[in-house]
């Protein structure tokens, strides 16, 4: 269970609401165990962009649909590239969504990104979903990451914040389509993952 049923944000940056320290260490550890099971059934893979460039994160998904990128572009698919259905989204993860986005329908997709010390994520918008009125909820586990928040169009001034293990953030309402990315992670800043690294969970109503 998450700490509070109706948490208030600890910080709001450009409309992006942050709930720092929302998840207790126990909840994080429980999630990690469930994520390991998911990764056994739906192994992490390294996506390529439509231009054939390797992305630096490795990813997999849970839910009825998973976000993938390959030479054909970005999209949601009902199956892992290996041809199997994605595992269901664990309750512990769904309960974070209902806690911070109580008015939204439940997410059908949980993207699981793994960052090793050199991984990053370029500035982008999340806009492959059918209903862009539904929020995006993101959960950070493991090493700290420098999250950059831009504008509703590419470019311009940005603001950055370090995301720690157990932090949750919501991009919704007017901030649903802000550009965002991960500049770098801080290796060794968390002991949650025995071999280090960072996991980000992105929950979305995709369809
Ligand atoms: C993403 O926007 O795809 C990932 C954000 C994060 O890793 O915190
Ligand atoms: Mn994103």
């Amino acid at each position: 269970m998450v700490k509070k049923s109706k948490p208030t944000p600890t910080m709001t940056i450009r409309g992006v609401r942050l709930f720092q320290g929302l998840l207790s260490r126990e909840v994080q550890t429980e999630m990690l165990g469930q994520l390991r099971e998911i990764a056994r059934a739906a192994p992490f893979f390294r996506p390529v962009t439509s231009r054939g460039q390797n992305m630096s994160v490795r990813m997999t998904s849970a839910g009825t649909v998973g976000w993938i990128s390959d030479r054909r572009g970005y999209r949601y698919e009902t199956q892992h590239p290996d041809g199997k259905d994605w595992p269901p989204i664990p309750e512990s993860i769904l309960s974070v969504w209902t806690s911070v986005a109580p008015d939204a329908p439940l997410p059908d997709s949980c993207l699981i990104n793994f960052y090793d010390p050199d991984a990053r994520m370029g500035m982008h918008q999340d806009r492959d979903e059918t209903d862009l009125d539904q929020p995006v909820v993101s959960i950070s586990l493991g090493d700290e990451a420098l999250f950059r928040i831009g504008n509703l169009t590419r470019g311009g001034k940005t603001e950055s914040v370090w995301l720690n293990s157990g932090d949750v953030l919501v991009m919704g309402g007017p901030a649903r389509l802000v550009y965002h990315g991960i500049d770098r992670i801080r290796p060794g800043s968390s002991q949650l993952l025995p071999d280090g690294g960072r996991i980000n969970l992105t929950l979305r109503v995709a369809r």
Side-chain angles (χ1 to χ4, degrees):
M1 293 295 290
V2 295
K3 274 180 194 159
K4 287 191 271 176
S5 56
K6 275 223 177 95
T8 45
T10 50
M11 200 189 274
T12 302
I13 305 173
R14 300 183 176 202
V16 176
R17 292 181 298 140
L18 256 81
F19 299 83
Q20 290 158 307
L22 186 69
L23 308 184
S24 68
R25 182 68 181 216
E26 289 82 351
V27 167
Q28 296 175 45
T29 305
E30 181 194 355
M31 273 183 195
L32 199 59
Q34 292 164 332
L35 292 168
R36 283 208 184 90
E37 278 175 40
I38 290 171
R40 262 195 290 276
F44 281 97
F45 56 94
R46 191 181 294 277
V48 293
T49 65
S50 54
R51 293 179 178 173
Q53 279 167 333
N54 283 323
M55 292 180 68
S56 62
V57 295
R58 281 178 278 155
M59 57 178 66
T60 187
S61 282
T64 52
V65 289
W67 187 89
I68 68 160
S69 174
D70 61 17
R71 292 305 294 246
R72 289 165 50 209
Y74 304 140
R75 63 194 179 277
Y76 283 96
E77 286 282 2
T78 55
Q79 293 189 326
H80 184 279
D82 286 354
K84 281 185 278 183
D85 289 350
W86 305 102
I89 306 174
E91 277 301 323
S92 65
I93 295 172
L94 289 175
S95 79
V96 176
W97 174 280
T98 48
S99 164
V100 297
D103 301 327
L106 283 178
D108 53 5
S109 183
C110 176
L111 176 66
I112 304 162
N113 283 325
F114 178 78
Y115 294 75
D116 67 22
D118 299 319
R120 61 193 66 232
M121 175 79 65
M123 294 293 278
H124 66 278
Q125 290 172 301
D126 285 17
R127 57 174 317 140
D128 299 321
E129 299 70 39
T130 308
D131 182 358
L132 296 174
D133 288 334
Q134 303 308 332
V136 172
V137 173
S138 147
I139 300 172
S140 292
L141 297 171
D143 284 340
E144 295 163 16
L146 189 57
F147 184 73
R148 186 189 289 269
I149 304 168
N151 302 287
L152 294 172
T153 51
R154 194 174 275 288
K157 286 194 175 149
T158 63
E159 288 175 70
S160 296
V161 62
W162 283 96
L163 298 178
N164 296 342
S165 195
D167 290 355
V168 175
L169 73 78
V170 179
M171 292 184 285
R176 174 62 177 77
L177 289 172
V178 287
Y179 274 82
H180 59 278
I182 294 289
D183 285 353
R184 61 193 161 95
I185 75 161
R186 202 181 251 158
S189 53
S190 163
Q191 310 307 312
L192 184 73
L193 279 70
D195 297 325
R198 171 176 188 260
I199 292 174
N200 173 257
L201 307 178
T202 305
L203 292 160
R204 293 183 279 224
V205 179
R207 290 190 171 165

